[in-house]
């Protein structure tokens, strides 16, 4: 999945082929989530489960990994259902809140590091609001399983 995603990004941007190195770095980060001493929280829009990256086999592997990830003790994985109403926040670009001093935002053209306290507060609030819309545990697994079935 990571190879398919990063290859598509490389092809779009016309950048040098460093996909293998980038995938290796992502796999290193994955190990932190699986066995690290920190706590992680991630939320996905249900639409992300249905957007095929690579092909059906690649996507099935990624969705299978997400099913497994719902059991990681250090990870809280939520899925925001299609039918959620009353959104206080619209879908945003991908972002990672590390702490109260740094947020990474993934844009089409770059990754931006946000360090302004007033902006960090906005991202933290957005994450809190979006997290409240998500389903977790068995309900999240059911959404992922449905996405696998749709392949």
């Amino acid at each position: 999945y990571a190879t398919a995603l990063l290859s598509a990004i490389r092809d779009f941007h016309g950048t040098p082929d460093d996909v293998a190195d980038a995938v290796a770095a992502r796999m290193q980060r994955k190990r932190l989530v699986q066995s690290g001493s920190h706590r992680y929280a991630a939320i996905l829009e249900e639409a992300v489960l249905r957007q095929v990256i690579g092909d059906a086999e690649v996507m099935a592997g990624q969705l299978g990994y997400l099913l497994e990830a719902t059991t990681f003790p250090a990870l809280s994985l939520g899925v925001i259902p299609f039918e959620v109403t009353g959104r206080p926040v619209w879908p945003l670009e991908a972002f990672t809140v590390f702490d109260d001093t740094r947020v990474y935002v993934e844009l089409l053209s770059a990754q931006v590091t946000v360090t302004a306290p007033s902006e960090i507060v906005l991202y933290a609030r957005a994450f809190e609001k979006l997290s409240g819309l998500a389903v977790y545990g068995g309900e999240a697994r059911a959404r992922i399983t449905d996405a696998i079935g749709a392949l």
Side-chain angles (χ1 to χ4, degrees):
Y1 178 85
T3 299
L5 177 64
L6 294 172
S7 293
I9 292 168
R10 175 207 58 214
D11 293 347
F12 177 80
H13 286 284
T15 55
D17 188 359
D18 63 351
V19 169
D21 292 338
V23 169
R26 282 190 176 218
M27 295 306 106
Q28 285 288 90
R29 287 196 315 244
K30 181 173 100 171
R31 279 197 282 281
L32 293 173
V33 174
Q34 291 173 321
S35 61
S37 59
H38 293 86
R39 297 271 312 140
Y40 301 91
I43 51 174
L44 306 169
E45 296 278 351
E46 186 171 357
V48 171
L49 304 176
R50 306 291 180 142
Q51 296 168 357
V52 178
I53 303 294
D55 58 24
E57 184 178 342
V58 167
M59 196 65 196
Q62 176 65 9
L63 293 170
Y65 172 73
L66 289 177
L67 277 176
E68 178 187 359
T70 64
T71 67
F72 297 165
L75 176 65
S76 170
L77 179 63
V79 176
I80 301 172
F82 280 128
E83 66 274 5
V84 163
T85 60
R87 281 178 174 270
V89 179
W90 54 94
L92 303 168
E93 63 277 346
F95 64 93
T96 303
V97 179
F98 286 93
D99 51 32
D100 61 355
T101 63
R102 181 176 46 139
V103 172
Y104 286 167
V105 182
E106 295 180 32
L107 304 175
L108 177 62
S109 60
Q111 178 178 314
V112 175
T113 302
V114 176
T115 58
S118 62
E119 292 181 36
I120 292 169
V121 166
L122 289 175
Y123 280 99
R125 193 168 81 215
F127 186 83
E128 177 187 347
K129 298 291 186 186
L130 291 169
S131 295
L133 300 175
V135 295
Y136 300 86
E139 288 185 61
R141 285 189 291 280
R143 304 268 173 177
I144 297 166
T145 301
D146 287 349
I148 293 170
L151 291 170

